[in-house]
Amino acid sequence: MSEKVIITCALTGSSPLPDHPNFPVTPQQIAEAGIAAAEAGASILHIHVRNPETGGISTELEHYREVASLIREKNNEVIFNITTGPGCTWMQSDEDPSLPAPPEKGTLMFTAEKRLEHVLDLKPDMCTLDICTMQLWGGVAINLDPMITRMGHMIQDAGVMPEIECFEAGDFVFADDLMEKGAIPKNAPFSFVLGTKYGLPATTEAMMYSKNQIPRGAVWTGFGVSRHSFPMAAQAVLLGGNMRVGFEDTIYLRRGRKADSNADLVQWGVELVEKLGRDVASAGEARKMLGLAE
């Protein structure tokens, strides 16, 4: 077990806007949230962007560019981990089950080039690579082998480290196959997403199982969604993994108590790590642990 714990702060996600007065939506707000989270102890910022007018999901390159630029003006050390998740959501047509529902009903399917447009432009330190195909968000998240293989090679060719996001048990078998053929690197870090309705449950047993499926020595992060966020954060620390917190996963510190900000959640995470007898990794230490360029 490493004595150092990497804390990732997932700033906004792409799910519907929660009822929170300080939820960041504009590029300026997201950047400010990221800067504050880094100051509170997060080594990695996991970045989605939002439509500044509606608060809904955005895939606009300019929004990513603005967030990245604003953060780098204030902080050159924190690690960027940018999403590649949008663009894999398929909703079934009510009229013809063989066809997707229209985009206004939630279908959002992109080519590999579109899903990676902002990554290839910005060349962040890391990006997530969701490899699940499962019921999710009322539809199906589709991440089939040809698409993920292509994305994996494109990410590596850009000099970016993919973080492999696993939502259910079959993802670990898929990851082994991808690694065997070079579509993801041997030293790729993993994150376990626990608590989605049809995925891995937010339990000690599921996190232990997940840890035992990945290559020995791999860097990993375990996290829970919604009310499972801090219980699973504590479990990850106890099992030798790393922590993820942030408004993407929950707006609450505990039942009935909302966090004021992403930085508030990070601070609770820092305190939790220290109370469990481990230390929080700085951005520089996290880079070494992940094998990233300094």
Side-chain angles (χ1 to χ4, degrees):
M1 179 190 299
S2 169
E3 290 301 317
K4 299 286 187 178
V5 176
I6 300 169
I7 296 181
T8 296
C9 185
L11 299 170
T12 69
S14 58
S15 58
L17 281 177
D19 180 17
H20 196 291
N22 298 329
F23 194 89
V25 171
T26 68
Q28 180 74 41
Q29 292 169 343
I30 295 170
E32 289 174 353
I35 292 164
E39 291 175 350
S43 302
I44 300 175
L45 300 179
H46 177 53
I47 299 171
H48 289 250
V49 291
R50 296 270 184 165
N51 183 310
E53 296 180 0
T54 67
I57 185 174
S58 171
T59 59
E60 291 296 322
L61 177 57
E62 286 306 316
H63 293 158
Y64 284 105
R65 284 175 172 170
E66 186 174 356
V67 170
S69 175
L70 289 170
I71 292 174
R72 284 299 184 224
E73 286 177 7
K74 301 288 186 180
N75 190 321
N76 282 318
E77 297 182 354
V78 71
I79 297 167
F80 281 180
N81 181 349
I82 296 182
T83 185
T84 66
C88 67
T89 305
W90 191 90
M91 298 290 184
Q92 192 171 51
S93 168
D94 293 332
E95 290 74 28
D96 184 346
S98 69
L99 298 175
E104 58 266 25
K105 296 291 187 179
T107 295
L108 191 68
M109 297 295 294
F110 290 159
T111 63
E113 288 76 10
K114 177 60 177 175
R115 285 182 68 176
L116 293 175
E117 177 185 38
H118 53 300
V119 172
L120 301 182
D121 181 83
L122 294 171
K123 293 185 171 57
D125 306 286
M126 302 172 64
C127 67
T128 54
L129 184 60
D130 299 354
I131 62 171
C132 64
T133 295
M134 60 180 286
Q135 290 193 66
L136 201 62
W137 310 304
V140 181
I142 299 179
N143 292 290
L144 300 182
D145 192 331
M147 171 71 76
I148 298 304
T149 295
R150 179 164 174 72
M151 289 178 67
H153 284 299
M154 291 172 69
I155 290 166
Q156 292 180 83
D157 290 345
V160 179
M161 173 68 79
E163 179 186 51
I164 312 307
E165 286 209 341
C166 298
F167 284 74
E168 51 91 20
D171 292 349
F172 298 109
V173 182
F174 190 16
D176 286 342
D177 291 346
L178 292 166
M179 197 170 286
E180 182 66 26
K181 62 183 177 180
I184 58 176
K186 297 287 187 182
N187 63 333
F190 286 77
S191 62
F192 315 145
V193 186
L194 307 180
T196 58
K197 187 170 183 180
Y198 299 112
L200 292 161
T203 64
T204 301
E205 292 81 4
M207 192 175 291
M208 281 287 293
Y209 170 84
S210 301
K211 176 185 175 181
N212 291 334
Q213 303 312 303
I214 63 176
R216 182 179 294 275
V219 178
W220 63 275
T221 298
F223 67 93
V225 299
S226 189
R227 70 181 188 277
H228 305 297
S229 179
F230 275 103
M232 289 298 99
Q235 188 65 83
V237 173
L238 289 170
L239 291 176
N242 299 292
M243 174 186 293
R244 172 173 138 167
V245 296
F247 275 175
E248 176 171 351
D249 304 326
T250 184
I251 58 173
Y252 287 91
L253 295 168
R254 55 172 298 166
R255 184 188 296 271
R257 181 175 174 184
K258 287 182 180 179
D260 290 333
S261 63
N262 277 285
D264 202 10
L265 291 167
V266 172
Q267 184 57 49
W268 266 52
V270 169
E271 293 173 4
L272 179 59
V273 169
E274 293 174 345
K275 288 176 179 177
L276 292 176
R278 296 179 67 190
D279 296 316
V280 175
S282 67
E285 290 168 333
R287 287 182 182 279
K288 291 179 181 179
M289 292 167 65
L290 291 161
L292 299 175
E294 297 185 41

